[in-house]
Each structure stands twice: as C-alpha cells, then as structure tokens.
Amino acid sequence: MTEAWLAGQRAAFAACRGALPGAGTPWVDALRAQAFRQFEEDGPPSPRIEEWRSGPTAALTGQVFAPTAPDGARPASVPASYLAGPRHRLVFVDGRFSAEHSDPGEPPTGARLTSLGTLLAEDPAAARELVGDPEAFAEERLSLVTDRRPQALVALNTALASDGAVLIVDDGVALPHPVEVVYLARAATDPSAHHLRTLIALGAGARANVVEVHAGGSGSVWTNHVTETALGAGARLEHVRADAGTRSAVRVDVAHARLHAGAAYAGFVMAGNTGAVRTETRLVLEGAGADGEINGLCLAGGASHIDALTRLDHRAREGTSRQLWRGVFGDEARGAFQGRIRVLSGASGTNAALDNRNLLLSTGARTESKPELEILTDDVACSHASATGQLDGDALFYLRSRGLSERMARAVLMEAFAGAVVDRIADDGVRAFVRRLVDDQLNVLGSTAS
Amino acid sequence: MSEPLLRIRNLRASVDGQEVLKGIDLAVAAGEVAAIMGPNGSGKSTLSNVLAGRDGYEVTDGEVWYDGRDLLDMAPEERAAAGVFMAFQYPVEIPGVVNATFTRTALNAQRKARGESAIDAIDFLKRARETLGRLEMDEAFLRRDVNAGFSGGEKKRNEIFQMAVLEPRLAILDETDSGLDIDALRIVATGVNAMRDGQRALVVITHYQRLLEHVVPDSVHVLADGRIARSGDRELALELERAGYAAFQPA
C-alpha cells in the first residue's frame, strides 16, 4: 500500500506542479522539487515514527489522496460568516482562493491580507522574504521551525500547496478586527487532497487575531494544512484553528510559530472532525520573555480519531508558556495527546505548564495521554499533569436531584469541562463563536453517549 | 384523616450487601416538620440517600409513597419535579457551572416536567436576589461556580438558597446543621422557617438538637439500628439532648 501511495503522490506532483502557484518562478520550482525529494526520503507517516505512534496513519495511507484540478464548479453552499462582528474574511474552496465568496474588507495601512496564489503571482519577492533562503529552508527544515525530520507531510505540503491565506503586518500595526479564514472542502467522489499553506508574519509590536475554520469535506477528502507564523519582538497573535463540523476522511493540521523577544502567541485548537484528525502545534520561543499558549479541545464521537501533538520549545530566558488540553471521547472514538515542553540550555527563568484532561463517555472510547518534560537548564519552573476519567457520578446525581434529566446533567458537566478551555480565548466574539461550535459538537456527543 | 404526604412502610435497604435500614415506618403530613434524630451509624444518611434516589442503595423490602406516588419507582429528577428536595450533607462542588445558571436550569427543568412555562433570566434574577437577601447571602453567590471553593457553611446556605428558589413540597434536610457556626445556623434556620407555610412538609435529619431550637419540629423520631425506635413531640428532642442516645444504642 505504501508504494502505491507514494507512487500516487509522485504522479500527482508530476501532473500538477506546472499549474501550482509560483510555477515558473525558479526559486519556487526549486523549493517544491527539493521538498518533494525530502518527502520521498522520509516516506509517509507510519506508527514506527515516534511522533506518529498514535496518529491516523492507516486512514491517511488507506486511499491515494491526490490534488484535484479546479473544475470551475461553484460550491453548493458556503457557510455564512462565523464571526458575528466586523471581520476580514477569506474563503478558500477545495484548496483555492475564492474571491467571489471572500470579503477581505479594508485592512489598515501596513497590513497585507491576501492569498498565497495572489502573492506568488503578484509579488514573489515578498513571498521569498517570508520564506527566507529557500535552499537552507528545504535542506534544514521544511518550515520556519520544524526541527526534526521526518516531517514528510510538511514536505509534501511545501511541494503541493495550492493556496492559503497570507497575512503580513508591518511593525507597530494592529488589526482592529479579526481575520476569518474559511477552508471549505466540497464532498468528493475520488480521493482528493487539499494542501493548504497559511503564512502569518507580524512585525515588531504588531497585533492580529486570526481564526482559521475548516468546513465541509467527505470521506474521500484529505486536508493537509500547514500554518506558519513568525512573530517579531513584542508582537501578539491570537490564533484559533477550528473544525466546523468537517467530515473529511483525514485532516492534518499543523501550526508552526517562531516567537522573538517579548512576542506572544495565544493558540486555540478545536478538533471535532467526524473522521480522523492529526493536529500539531510547534512553538519556538526564540527571544527572551516570549509567551506561548496552546490550548486545545478534542471532541470525538462515532469512530473518529483525534491525535494531538504539541512541541513547545523554550530557547531563551524568561519565557512563559501554558498548555491546557481537554478531550471528550464518546462511542468508539480514539484519542491521543502527546505534549512536550522542552527547555534548552540558556532558557533560564522559564515558567511552563502543561495540563491534559480527558473524559471518556463510553466504555468503547479510548484515549492516551503522554505529557513530556525535557529540561536542559536550571532555574526553571515547569509543571505537567494528566488525567483521564469519566463524568463525576456524584455531580451527575446532584444535578439530577435538582431536576435535570440525566442527559441534561451530562451535557452541563461536559460543557463545564470543555468551557474551561474555551474561556481562555481572549476575544469576546471569537470565544462566542468557538463556544457555539463546541456546544454543537457536545450535543452530538451527548445524544449518542450511553 | 387524609393520607400523609410521605409514608414509609417497612423500608429495608442494604449497602454493599449489609442491611442498614431494617424496617422503617414513618408518616409525615403536609405542613408537618418531622425531625429524625439518631446516633452515628443508625441509618440516617442511608435513609436520606434512599429517599433522594442515589445509586448504590438496594431497597430489599417495603415501600415509600409520596403524594400518592411510588417514590422508589421515580428517577431522581422525577422526584425533584414532583416537589421533593434534598439538602445534602455534603453538597458537590461543580467547577465551571455558574450557580445562577445551574439554579435556573434546575427550576426550569422542573417547571417543564410539570408542564409549566420557563422563567426567563430577568425574572429569575429578581427572585434569586430576593431569596439571597432573606438568607443574608451576597449576590456574588450567583456568579460563583456551584459550591466550588465554598466553605462548609456556604455550601449549606447554598442548599437552603436552592430550596427556597425551587419551592419544594417536601424538603429533606440531611445534617444541614453540621459544621455550621452560630450565625450560619441562625441564617439556615431562618431560611427553613420561611418555608413553613402549613402545606410544605419538612424532614429534618440530625444528630443534634441545636437546629431544632430554631426550627421547632411537630414530631420527633429516634432512628436507632435501622428502625424508628421511638416517636414523640419536641420534648423527645430535649430529652435526647439531656440523656444522649445511650438508651437506643445496641447493647
């Protein structure tokens, strides 16, 4: 199967490379070619790779997902805006920017909001600046921060990325409204892959709030999404990545962020696909006093599988980080959380915490939790905790004794459990949106749970 | 004479295969305040748990009738909707659930089960604030998570607050006086006495007599070794206070 899968990816790359954004621009072609070679060297993810031990590798390689050429057809429907208030909206359909469905509004002077395809076509020099030296980029790493091979899917994404949102904000500029990016996949009949690349670069002291939402999909769709972020000194990004009821066979969602001195990244992940999800977040605190936060909710029912991985590297002194991850698993769902805090030598004064809690709603649901601390310096305060259990029977009885039905009581407790993570989202409008998504997902879980 | 609101007949119940209630007979009329007193291990908390419908208690014989219905056949939430309220000895902490939301959800769940209309947030707040005022409780109570980080006294007062808002027809107070200081005891007693309207029945389960100084019972029943060993009026409680439970302890 692996050979056939690899052969399928080779055929796909050969077929579509000439039509990908930036094709014909020498450095882009070279980057894509190198990335594809690296993908071939690394091979598809397998359980033999430690970071993929619990990943949805079978679902991923079970079908030869390949990029599809745009057929020009319009989607049957596009979700209405997820955020209630003013926002800048970019919509991508099947991996390509849709100007017709987007509403970018007018970002402030000094902020550039566009698509990767547009940027590579209109201003390849600016794109090259974002990527850095493409030679070094491909040899050393596949994105700004991936520090360990194999990262075959990031490599494949680099080779095949068809589009994605790009946000470049100059020093000192703050976006007053959030950016809503919608990645809509239509139902597919043949196995289809969408390789999406989001680029976010905030200059010193810049501020932005980006909400990336996945929607649609079907059992024949694989979405492979990489979001790369670079935060200048003192910049602040709030970054939400969420499933709005996606039905893809597999969704791989990887975020990489590099933080300079005093920068802050506040990330939130909501994974609730009905198929398989692999969600990775890798933060590197490169500058002193940077602050990284990655919170996540994994809500899975049916036969879905959610595999979450975090890598939070403290590379400079006085950095702070927090990770709060919670999972709710019902029916026959599978979950896994691998979270790591790594404090490198020189990162003294680090304060880092990681907390993972899981609720199992049924006897058929399973999850595993693997928090890791790797501390290579003194003078740090790091904590990690992990717990997996069921809904508290005493609390359920207490709620029922006050008149709540068993189902309501379970819903109230699940909502409280998940709400503690949602509450960490700073922006009122974004938090309200995520809470709705979470409530919807919990309703589905609650209706099937025993 | 009409049928009492609560009638317990020959109730036997076991916990982990061990018989704890060994044939309880008790009748509580509408409007009556009945005190159930007994030493530790006499079966007080088992009785309250069986009446509330907690899992893990096996009723092996007897029956409990509430307002003409078989109470033991009802789910905990059905008992609540029918007007039975249990003030727990150890109220559970529920972090992440706001007290006001929880209490309103409970009230509306009960109202819905009874075919009544829901109470909106504004009317509820008004009602809740009035109740808090009567109980000398701060409005901040409404915004806090249910019992989370509450002191023992605050938890008991929160039970009384819920009781006052939910307006049950039968309230069972399980050791509500334990762990209360004098002021909290007085406030709790005020809340309980405010519920006495000649229709509502109260069952006060307690080890000590002190709550009964403030909430004067119509009847007093001594629970010993899983049975009602003696019944009387208020004088019986005073007698127990003087002489203790020695006369009712197994030899």
Side-chain angles (χ1 to χ4, degrees):
Chain A
M1 193 66 215
T2 302
E3 271 315 308
W5 197 82
L6 279 173
Q9 300 307 325
R10 270 184 213 111
F13 184 55
C16 75
R17 59 190 300 182
L20 289 170
T25 305
W27 69 266
V28 177
D29 288 339
L31 176 66
R32 289 195 188 272
Q34 283 196 31
F36 196 81
R37 276 197 300 279
Q38 185 159 330
F39 158 74
E40 289 182 293
E41 277 172 33
D42 290 350
S46 87
R48 288 190 302 279
I49 300 165
E50 175 60 20
E51 287 193 346
W52 277 90
R53 207 170 42 87
S54 48
T57 50
L60 194 58
T61 53
Q63 303 179 58
V64 182
F65 300 100
T68 49
D71 61 4
R74 302 175 51 183
S77 68
V78 171
S81 185
Y82 290 107
L83 298 175
R87 82 286 178 265
H88 308 283
R89 188 178 211 225
L90 297 188
V91 175
F92 294 81
V93 178
D94 286 350
R96 283 177 182 81
F97 180 62
S98 167
E100 180 191 350
H101 298 106
S102 297
D103 178 17
E106 299 236 348
T109 307
R112 182 171 192 174
L113 177 63
T114 184
S115 71
L116 185 62
T118 310
L119 187 72
L120 284 169
E122 294 178 355
D123 193 355
R128 182 163 183 162
E129 204 170 303
L130 279 183
V131 171
D133 178 1
E135 294 288 326
F137 184 75
E139 273 174 24
E140 299 285 324
R141 55 200 182 195
L142 292 148
S143 80
L144 297 168
V145 296
T146 293
D147 59 341
R148 278 187 194 169
R149 290 175 69 186
Q151 295 291 340
L153 298 186
V154 177
L156 189 61
N157 182 283
T158 304
L160 288 169
S162 59
D163 215 340
V166 175
L167 176 65
I168 304 168
V169 185
D170 293 348
D171 292 357
V173 175
L175 264 71
H177 308 306
V179 174
E180 175 181 309
V181 183
V182 179
Y183 292 110
L184 174 67
R186 291 183 299 163
T189 41
D190 297 327
S192 303
H194 305 309
H195 297 277
L196 302 158
R197 189 74 158 225
T198 304
L199 298 174
I200 301 169
L202 303 191
R207 284 168 175 261
N209 189 340
V210 176
V211 177
E212 299 191 86
V213 187
H214 283 270
S218 71
S220 298
V221 172
W222 169 34
T223 302
N224 184 26
H225 183 200
V226 176
T227 299
E228 268 188 87
T229 298
L231 301 182
R236 177 177 174 83
L237 177 70
E238 285 168 43
H239 186 203
V240 166
R241 296 177 282 152
D243 258 316
T246 46
R247 293 178 299 278
S248 304
V250 191
R251 196 167 75 73
V252 177
D253 174 39
V254 175
H256 293 170
R258 190 179 53 170
L259 284 68
H260 283 121
Y265 176 94
F268 178 92
V269 174
M270 203 290 258
N273 196 342
T274 56
V277 179
R278 158 76 167 195
T279 176
E280 292 183 10
T281 308
R282 298 171 192 266
L283 300 193
V284 177
L285 276 55
E286 278 191 353
D291 180 70
E293 180 164 5
I294 321 168
N295 302 320
L297 269 179
C298 301
L299 309 174
S304 56
H305 177 174
I306 300 181
D307 185 54
L309 176 132
T310 71
R311 294 289 181 253
L312 210 149
D313 281 15
H314 285 263
R315 294 189 185 170
R317 63 188 169 77
E318 310 295 334
T320 49
S321 70
R322 293 162 306 289
Q323 302 183 56
L324 177 65
W325 282 75
R326 292 192 172 182
V328 182
F329 301 95
D331 306 320
E332 304 293 317
R334 293 282 175 275
F337 173 80
Q338 292 183 78
R340 190 186 71 193
I341 302 167
R342 190 162 64 156
V343 184
L344 288 117
S345 65
S348 58
T350 288
N351 192 318
L354 187 165
D355 185 310
N356 174 231
R357 277 164 218 280
N358 298 293
L359 264 185
L360 298 179
L361 300 178
S362 67
T363 49
R366 298 265 182 285
T367 191
E368 52 187 295
S369 177
K370 191 177 159 203
E372 296 166 69
L373 281 178
E374 195 181 321
I375 300 175
L376 307 173
T377 190
D378 296 331
D379 180 30
V380 298
C382 293
S383 68
H384 69 292
S386 161
T388 296
Q390 297 164 351
L391 287 172
D392 177 358
D394 286 338
L396 276 176
F397 174 66
Y398 187 79
L399 294 171
R400 291 179 68 194
S401 80
R402 294 297 180 255
L404 278 70
S405 67
E406 187 168 3
R407 184 175 162 177
M408 280 174 81
R410 295 175 72 94
V412 163
L413 294 182
M414 286 195 282
E415 209 180 296
F417 181 78
V421 190
V422 180
D423 285 346
R424 300 271 183 111
I425 298 172
D427 184 272
D428 291 343
V430 174
R431 192 172 58 249
F433 151 64
V434 171
R435 197 179 298 280
R436 274 200 312 281
L437 278 189
V438 169
D439 286 351
D440 289 350
Q441 186 72 10
L442 289 177
N443 264 331
V444 173
L445 280 177
S447 63
T448 57
S450 52
Chain B
M1 175 113 183
S2 62
E3 182 64 14
L5 186 63
L6 177 72
R7 179 179 284 285
I8 303 175
R9 279 202 184 101
N10 188 36
L11 180 65
R12 289 174 177 269
S14 302
V15 184
D16 296 330
Q18 180 91 25
E19 185 168 66
V20 180
L21 302 184
K22 302 173 179 174
I24 290 191
D25 290 286
L26 182 73
V28 182
E32 180 179 342
V33 175
I36 297 178
M37 301 184 67
N40 293 330
S42 59
K44 296 194 302 290
S45 57
T46 298
L47 177 61
S48 66
N49 281 318
V50 167
L51 293 178
R54 191 192 287 271
D55 284 343
Y57 295 82
E58 192 197 351
V59 174
T60 53
D61 199 7
E63 50 196 32
V64 179
W65 291 92
Y66 164 76
D67 193 27
R69 297 175 69 182
D70 181 353
L71 190 74
L72 300 178
D73 206 28
M74 296 160 74
E77 58 269 32
E78 291 175 320
R79 301 181 197 203
V84 179
F85 180 88
M86 170 69 64
F88 290 98
Q89 184 178 5
Y90 302 110
V92 182
E93 298 196 12
I94 312 182
V97 179
V98 177
N99 222 6
T101 315
F102 160 63
T103 312
R104 185 162 75 93
T105 305
L107 178 63
N108 281 334
Q110 293 192 16
R111 290 179 66 90
K112 190 177 176 194
R114 294 192 291 259
E116 297 165 10
S117 63
I119 290 189
D120 70 31
I122 293 166
D123 287 343
F124 172 79
L125 266 184
K126 206 174 136 200
R127 186 167 169 171
R129 287 195 177 119
E130 284 168 8
T131 309
L132 286 171
R134 276 207 309 281
L135 294 173
E136 300 178 40
M137 285 164 71
D138 198 294
E139 274 188 37
F141 254 94
L142 293 173
R143 294 187 296 272
R144 292 170 71 182
D145 288 355
V146 179
N147 296 326
F150 283 27
S151 70
E154 286 176 330
K155 286 179 183 170
K156 297 297 176 73
R157 278 152 69 189
N158 199 25
E159 295 290 285
I160 300 303
F161 163 70
Q162 291 172 27
M163 174 175 78
V165 169
L166 295 172
E167 299 182 321
R169 293 175 62 202
L170 169 67
I172 301 159
L173 280 65
D174 187 8
E175 306 271 5
T176 298
D177 51 343
S178 67
L180 294 186
D181 62 25
I182 297 287
D183 286 335
L185 184 70
R186 180 182 54 78
I187 290 165
V188 163
T190 306
V192 174
N193 281 327
M195 304 295 290
R196 300 182 77 162
D197 62 354
Q199 292 302 311
R200 191 170 281 126
L202 293 167
V203 174
V204 181
I205 298 174
T206 181
H207 185 97
Y208 300 103
Q209 200 278 136
R210 59 183 203 147
L211 179 61
L212 305 179
E213 285 172 12
H214 303 277
V215 179
V216 178
D218 300 304
S219 62
V220 175
H221 310 271
V222 179
L223 183 62
D225 193 25
R227 291 186 190 86
I228 301 294
R230 201 169 143 196
S231 295
D233 60 12
R234 189 192 177 191
E235 287 304 314
L236 178 54
L238 298 171
E239 186 189 321
L240 287 170
E241 188 72 3
R242 286 194 303 272
Y245 290 108
F248 300 99
Q249 304 280 31

